Amino acid sequence: MRGESEVPSSDDGFTIPVAERVKRLPPYLFGKINKLKYQKRVAGVDVIDLGMGNPTDPPDPLIVEKMAEAVADPRNHRYSVANGIANLRKEVTSRYWKKYGVRLDPDSEVVACIGSKEGFSHLCLALMGPGDTAIVPSPSFPVHVYAVMLAAGNVIELDVREPDQFLKNIAYTCEHLYPKPRVVVVNFPHNPSATVIEQDFYVELVRLARKYSFLVISDFAYADICFDGYKAPSFLATPGASEVGVEFTTMSKGFSMAGWRIGFCSGNSEMVRALSTIKGYYDYGLFQPVQIAAIVAMRHCEAAVDSIAAEYQQRRDVFCSGLERLGWEIERPKAGMFVWAKIPEPWAQMGSIDFAMKLLDEGGVAVSPGRGFGEDGEGYLRMAIVENSQRLRQAVKQIGKCMKSEEIAAE
């Protein structure tokens, strides 16, 4: 009998044992929901998908026009450079200076990535190995855990929803763990919980990094999507930050360029160099027309980013108001693309996975169960506000019907 990690190649019983790193990966907790979502769509059901932070808005037309122009140029179809073309890296440094007052060297402190997820994963390979430990925020965005595991590292998950306590727990872990953690991952605005911080958080984090000699990786994916006047602080804007860490940014969210797969790692030159070295072995860089279009986006489309953020704020208000009318206790997020909602009683007793399955099966609304982000996520749902306001109102209506049917069944 074969194990789950072995794949039959024929009927004669020959098996292919997979690598140990794959065996370390836990079962994929979103699998059941994704399978049911696929089945419903094949059956013609109009599923309102709030399960993934996948923007439905198109990029600014200027970005698309520049992409088309660049695609038409035969010179842009050759291999590119793995770390990104020079003008793209210069544009990243210009944007950091304008938005955060951070000066970066485009040649040594910036590398372009095939999305921030790819960059984060390859950086873990560059920094970690067997016996190394990373502290990651919990509830945990899956790649923050699995990229460390695939790099043969160990993971310590610390609850991030009280940022001051999170810092204290980092210090406590460093004091009592040997060898000390090699990497600390932070992710603000946080996915999935939408927790936010102010700049003084990073001041203390840099102090701890120096004291305990760990490296910092800041995942700043939701930097551009902020509400109610809140401005997400950059880790790199903290004095001394570039001495201890790097920051990942992406064009997926604010510029609505998710499928284009373009992000950046900026900061400490040695960490950037290590990532560039790994990437040099793994890929030939981004398709050059994407890089050219990204230059135009950062140079000329900042107003479109503000417009996108305003649209998400409107969606947040529509969706949260609807859930509140259904009796949900909602803490409205100050940033990001997600509502992190505590499941109300008595439905919380079902568990987040079963309740999410119920909303999809009976209501045609796909959401992410909190349990999929670790034990600290149980009792919550992560719901992406990526659909337009009309679709979100419809989603609330269908969620309400599911909850009503449960009440009727209980009577």
Side-chain angles (χ1 to χ4, degrees):
M1 180 178 290
R2 70 176 185 273
E4 291 181 358
S5 60
E6 296 178 327
V7 181
S9 60
S10 67
D11 293 332
D12 62 5
F14 186 80
T15 58
I16 305 296
V18 299
E20 193 64 34
R21 68 179 64 88
V22 177
K23 296 178 184 178
R24 295 184 68 197
L25 296 175
Y28 186 56
L29 289 176
F30 296 119
K32 287 170 58 179
I33 290 175
N34 288 344
K35 181 179 179 180
L36 179 58
K37 182 168 62 177
Y38 173 77
Q39 291 171 343
K40 285 193 165 292
R41 282 178 166 164
V42 168
V45 177
D46 179 22
V47 175
I48 302 176
D49 193 354
L50 311 183
M52 183 179 178
N54 193 5
T56 58
D57 308 277
D60 187 279
L62 184 61
I63 303 172
V64 177
E65 291 169 10
K66 190 63 181 181
M67 175 70 164
E69 177 187 317
V71 167
D73 187 339
R75 296 173 298 178
N76 290 328
H77 291 265
R78 305 177 66 191
Y79 291 128
S80 186
V81 290
N83 64 337
I85 59 178
N87 283 341
L88 175 64
R89 288 181 278 112
K90 288 177 182 177
E91 207 59 46
V92 173
T93 65
S94 177
R95 191 166 192 253
Y96 254 104
W97 172 247
K98 286 184 288 187
K99 285 182 69 72
Y100 307 111
V102 173
R103 292 192 182 277
L104 294 167
D105 181 347
D107 294 323
S108 64
E109 295 180 322
V110 179
V111 57
C113 307
I114 308 172
S116 58
K117 187 175 180 180
E118 172 270 319
F120 179 86
S121 301
H122 280 153
L123 183 59
C124 288
L125 286 179
L127 299 179
M128 304 191 69
D132 291 330
T133 299
I135 292 175
V136 304
S138 179
S140 303
F141 183 53
V143 74
H144 294 156
V145 175
Y146 301 154
V148 173
M149 294 174 65
L150 287 169
N154 302 311
V155 175
I156 295 176
E157 299 177 70
L158 298 180
D159 196 328
V160 76
R161 289 170 289 188
E162 296 292 338
D164 289 342
Q165 187 61 46
F166 178 66
L167 288 169
K168 292 176 183 177
N169 290 341
I170 290 173
Y172 181 88
T173 303
C174 291
E175 287 285 353
H176 293 84
L177 183 70
Y178 182 83
K180 289 180 172 58
R182 180 167 176 77
V183 171
V184 171
V185 178
V186 290
N187 168 218
F188 298 104
H190 182 239
N191 175 15
S193 75
T195 301
V196 296
I197 46 89
E198 299 294 343
Q199 197 75 51
D200 58 354
F201 174 93
Y202 288 135
V203 172
E204 176 63 10
L205 183 63
V206 169
R207 187 188 73 80
L208 292 176
R210 285 172 165 165
K211 180 177 181 179
Y212 297 111
S213 300
F214 59 74
L215 305 174
V216 176
I217 303 176
S218 168
D219 182 351
F220 202 26
Y222 297 92
D224 294 322
I225 310 296
C226 298
F227 315 133
D228 305 323
Y230 173 75
K231 299 294 183 184
S234 165
F235 166 70
L236 292 182
T238 310
S242 62
E243 298 172 15
V244 299
V246 294
E247 185 161 77
F248 282 96
T249 52
T250 175
M251 303 193 73
S252 295
K253 321 304 180 187
F255 291 95
S256 292
M257 295 169 65
W260 300 52
R261 306 313 302 132
I262 182 165
F264 309 98
C265 177
S266 307
N268 182 271
S269 59
E270 284 302 304
M271 294 171 71
V272 167
R273 183 190 61 79
L275 174 57
S276 298
T277 300
I278 288 286
K279 285 178 62 62
Y281 282 93
Y282 273 97
D283 69 71
Y284 285 104
L286 288 146
F287 185 38
Q288 195 150 294
V290 173
Q291 300 187 59
I292 293 169
I295 292 170
V296 169
M298 286 186 280
R299 191 174 292 169
H300 300 294
C301 299
E302 204 64 50
V305 175
D306 295 338
S307 178
I308 286 290
E311 173 65 22
Y312 278 114
Q313 179 171 328
Q314 181 185 27
R315 294 174 187 175
R316 177 206 65 175
D317 292 340
V318 166
F319 191 58
C320 289
S321 294
L323 290 178
E324 287 164 353
R325 286 194 296 271
L326 294 179
W328 293 57
E329 293 183 9
I330 299 293
E331 183 174 345
R332 299 195 179 196
K334 292 184 178 180
M337 300 167 64
F338 306 107
V339 173
W340 181 247
K342 186 174 179 61
I343 303 171
E345 294 294 349
W347 301 277
Q349 298 174 22
M350 297 176 65
S352 62
I353 294 176
D354 286 343
F355 186 61
M357 289 288 288
K358 174 184 174 64
L359 294 184
L360 177 56
D361 190 32
E362 300 177 17
V365 179
V367 299
S368 292
R371 184 63 183 82
F373 304 97
E375 293 181 5
D376 286 331
E378 185 52 79
Y380 290 81
L381 298 178
R382 191 196 73 172
M383 296 182 273
I385 47 175
V386 292
E387 296 278 5
N388 62 44
S389 295
Q390 182 177 346
R391 293 275 285 174
L392 290 173
R393 290 188 184 95
Q394 184 62 35
V396 170
K397 185 180 297 185
Q398 292 171 204
I399 291 171
K401 288 181 180 178
C402 287
M403 296 170 68
K404 190 67 175 177
S405 68
E406 188 74 12
E407 290 176 351
I408 294 172
E411 294 173 358

